[in-house]
Amino acid sequence: MADRARLSVRIVPRASRDVVVGMRAGALLVRVTAAPVDGAANEALIALLSRRVRVAKTSVRIVTGRTSKGKVVEFEG
C-alpha cells in the first residue's frame, strides 16, 4: 500500500510567477500564473507541487476544492 499525505493549500491565480510563498492560516499559500479557467490553475498547482516534492504529477491530486481557492491536495509515494 502506498504512503499518502494530505495538505491544505490556498491558491492565488494570475500571479506574476509560480511560487510557494509559505504557510498562512494553516494552509500552504501558493501563487500560480495561470488563470482559474478550464482547470488551468489546478494544473499549474499540481505541476508546481510535484516539482517541489519531487514526485510525478500523477502522484499529486486535488481531493477537495477543485473550484475554490482553498484546496486539499493529496500526495502519493
Side-chain angles (χ1 to χ4, degrees):
M1 186 169 175
D3 293 329
R4 294 180 184 188
R6 287 188 176 190
L7 178 66
S8 294
V9 176
R10 176 83 175 169
I11 187 171
V12 179
R14 293 188 180 122
S16 59
R17 61 190 173 123
D18 293 340
V19 64
V20 175
V21 177
M23 296 297 288
R24 296 250 173 96
L28 185 68
L29 182 62
V30 179
R31 298 179 192 273
V32 295
T33 56
V37 177
D38 296 330
N42 288 338
E43 290 175 18
L45 172 67
I46 289 172
L48 176 62
L49 292 178
S50 69
R51 283 193 310 268
R52 292 295 299 262
V53 180
R54 296 183 181 155
V55 297
K57 284 192 262 185
T58 56
S59 297
V60 180
R61 70 182 185 102
I62 298 172
V63 179
T64 62
R66 292 195 70 75
T67 60
S68 68
K69 291 182 180 183
K71 303 177 185 303
V72 174
V73 177
E74 184 176 80
F75 299 89
E76 185 177 336

